[in-house]
């Protein structure tokens, strides 16, 4: 559910039907409140308030050692091996034109050379086209995006349990990335 706190009326709230149960992913609402992006175990999906899918980007399964690229949540909904999956995340840029997503590879069209590296994607929010991607070099149990007022920039924190919590900063401008502490890595291309 999303609502504008400045509107003053909870009746203005918009509810987005989730494509899978909450524990199987994260959600982020676009700045205009028209769509929500769900990052799940097998896909990143953009839906409107009626629950209609605008687009979907399927990716490698985030649950343990599962090597599959699932077509739907129903394939693993009752599977005990998928009961407590790791998760990525997704966030919509400040202008609503891009979706940044942290997912596990591969993609169905990656071919035989594909591996299960984690990837940071830049997706066109209008049609779901992947505009760019880079391997993160991580093994996440979860992640969280931090939007920037500049829509071409995004931060990403990745929780790897006891191994660490790297932070990445991305920009799509082609300009050098600014980064802070040594635990921050840069992602400057798409």
């Amino acid at each position: 559910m999303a609502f504008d706190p400045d509107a003053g009326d909870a009746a203005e709230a918009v509810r987005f039907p989730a494509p899978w149960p909450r524990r199987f992913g994260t959600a982020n609402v676009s700045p205009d409140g028209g769509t929500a992006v769900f990052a799940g175990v097998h896909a990143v999906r953009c839906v409107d308030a009626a629950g209609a899918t605008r687009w979907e980007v399927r990716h490698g399964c985030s649950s343990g050692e599962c090597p599959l690229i699932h077509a739907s949540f129903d394939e693993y909904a009752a599977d005990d091996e998928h009961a407590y999956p790791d998760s990525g995340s997704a966030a919509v840029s400040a202008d609503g034109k891009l979706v940044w997503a942290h997912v596990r590879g591969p993609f169905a069209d990656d071919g035989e050379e594909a591996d299960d590296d984690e990837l940071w994607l830049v997706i066109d929010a209008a049609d779901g086209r992947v505009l760019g991607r880079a391997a993160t070099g991580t093994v996440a149990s979860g992640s969280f995006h931090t939007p920037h007022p500049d829509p071409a920039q995004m931060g990403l924190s990745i929780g790897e349990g006891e191994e660490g919590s790297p932070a990445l900063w991305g920009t799509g401008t082609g300009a050098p990335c600014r980064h802070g502490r040594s635990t921050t890595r840069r992602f400057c291309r798409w």
Side-chain angles (χ1 to χ4, degrees), residues 79-95:
D79 181 5
D80 289 342
E81 297 294 319
H82 287 77
Y84 299 99
D86 296 329
S87 66
S89 62
V92 183
S93 63
D95 64 359

Side-chain angles (χ1 to χ4, degrees), residues 1-16 29-33:
M1 177 171 58
F3 67 96
D4 180 355
D6 295 328
D9 184 3
E12 296 295 320
V14 179
R15 295 183 188 277
F16 293 93
V29 178
S30 65
D32 68 1

Side-chain angles (χ1 to χ4, degrees), residues 101-150:
H102 175 235
V103 302
R104 185 173 180 185
F107 298 100
D109 59 353
D110 279 349
E112 291 186 23
E113 73 280 352
D115 57 37
D116 63 354
D117 288 345
E118 290 180 4
L119 304 168
W120 199 11
L121 309 178
V122 180
I123 302 169
D124 185 309
D127 60 16
R129 282 179 301 123
V130 176
L131 302 173
R133 70 185 190 179
T136 60
T138 57
V139 180
S141 56
S143 65
F144 182 81
H145 281 83
T146 302
H148 188 277
D150 175 354

Side-chain angles (χ1 to χ4, degrees), residues 4 32-33 46 52 65 69 99-100 105 129 144 162:
D4 180 355
D32 68 1
C46 179
E65 300 295 320
I69 298 175
V99 172
W100 295 71
R129 282 179 301 123
F144 182 81
E162 295 177 8

